[in-house]
Amino acid sequence: MSSPHSHIPPLQVRERAACMCDRGASCSSFAPGHALHLIQARLAAATPSEWADAIVEESDERSGFVIVRTLTDATSIVLWNGVGAAASATPGTPVALHERYHVLAVGGTRYNVLRAELVEA
């Protein structure tokens, strides 16, 4: 005779994990816009045909927003990164964007980016 299966529900999470990059410490999250994960970087490197060349139109170091314009179709794309991409991607800088794996390449440095929408104040 078998006993009925008793389902034990998962514990409720009472606090959200907070990334420390907004407080000036090293980033502790691999969510879009935060630290770049090694696997994410490798996947982007393994698919070179998916990189799109772009030029930085605007960047705001305080908010972390970077606006790039692709060279192929002149699409304007708003990106956010909390780890410092806006500091190194100044207006006029040539960059490469891998939208599938959310990677922005500024020179030899790679950043995990979140595709975002700017809200006018």
Side-chain angles (χ1 to χ4, degrees):
M1 181 171 218
S2 65
S3 60
H5 176 63
S6 62
H7 176 68
I8 301 172
L11 295 174
Q12 293 286 330
V13 177
R14 295 186 182 182
E15 294 182 38
R16 291 180 54 197
C19 180
M20 297 303 291
C21 68
D22 64 344
R23 295 181 183 90
S26 63
C27 195
S28 58
S29 171
F30 295 111
H34 293 275
L36 183 69
H37 196 280
L38 177 62
I39 294 172
Q40 181 182 13
R42 286 185 177 178
L43 287 170
T47 52
S49 64
E50 294 186 42
W51 286 97
D53 292 327
I55 300 291
V56 176
E57 287 187 329
E58 296 178 42
S59 65
D60 182 11
E61 192 173 342
R62 290 186 69 191
S63 67
F65 282 100
V66 177
I67 300 174
V68 301
R69 184 166 301 276
T70 61
L71 296 180
T72 55
D73 58 3
T75 301
S76 186
I77 301 171
V78 179
L79 305 169
W80 178 81
N81 174 267
V83 187
S88 61
T90 56
T93 304
V95 295
L97 178 63
H98 198 296
E99 286 198 77
R100 181 175 176 189
Y101 294 115
H102 315 287
V103 179
L104 179 69
V106 183
T109 307
R110 307 289 186 262
Y111 296 97
N112 180 359
V113 291
L114 171 69
R115 188 168 182 162
E117 297 294 324
L118 276 180
V119 178
E120 296 296 325

